[in-house]
Amino acid sequence: GGIMMWLLAGLWHMLIMSAYYATATPEGVAREEPMMQFIVIGYLVLGLLMAYIYPKGYAGGAPLTEGVKFGVAIGLLWVLPHGLVMYGVHQIGTGALLVVDSLWHVAEQGAGGAVIGLIYSRMATPEPATTEA
């Protein structure tokens, strides 16, 4: 899940929306070169925490749907409150940037949750017993 989210984040921030983020983020806020090791560690920690929490609330249902719903909830719980607080404290961009970034993370964590849900369903399903003669 963490790897999926990291890959999607790279596509979104560095390819698809790079021009938007460059203009929406005030000068001097972003690093010249991202410290990729911390970004990777952050996504791995997020993926591990999501994988740890997911089975505690899983009550059945289609793994893909349940995983997406879980990931969307994590995206809302993690990014939106943090973004609102940071927007209130720092001059880090516009309200539109807050909305775009929050919506993106809801989708990104939704995809990560889908991966976690699918993997969990395969690991939690016991293999049928075989009888050997």
Side-chain angles (χ1 to χ4, degrees):
I3 292 169
M4 168 64 81
M5 291 182 288
W6 175 68
L7 291 171
L8 290 174
L11 288 172
W12 178 259
H13 291 284
M14 299 174 80
L15 294 175
I16 298 169
M17 295 292 284
S18 63
Y20 173 75
Y21 282 100
T23 59
T25 305
E27 194 171 318
V29 172
R31 294 181 182 277
E32 292 271 334
E33 290 294 322
M35 296 173 68
M36 198 56 70
Q37 68 273 28
F38 289 100
I39 296 169
V40 170
I41 291 168
Y43 274 102
L44 291 176
V45 168
L46 177 59
L48 289 171
L49 289 171
M50 287 174 67
Y52 175 75
I53 295 168
Y54 179 80
K56 298 189 179 320
Y58 179 69
L64 182 63
T65 304
E66 294 301 311
V68 169
K69 289 192 308 190
F70 169 74
V72 165
I74 292 295
L76 287 171
L77 287 169
W78 171 49
V79 176
L80 186 58
H82 179 262
L84 288 168
V85 171
M86 293 299 103
Y87 184 70
V89 173
H90 302 288
Q91 296 177 10
I92 56 172
T94 65
L97 176 61
L98 170 68
V99 171
V100 167
D101 206 45
S102 294
L103 289 174
W104 163 249
H105 282 283
V106 165
E108 178 187 288
Q109 270 72 77
V115 170
I116 291 167
L118 290 171
I119 291 171
Y120 177 76
S121 72
R122 291 195 178 129
M123 294 176 68
T125 306
E127 294 293 319
T130 58
T131 49
E132 297 197 23

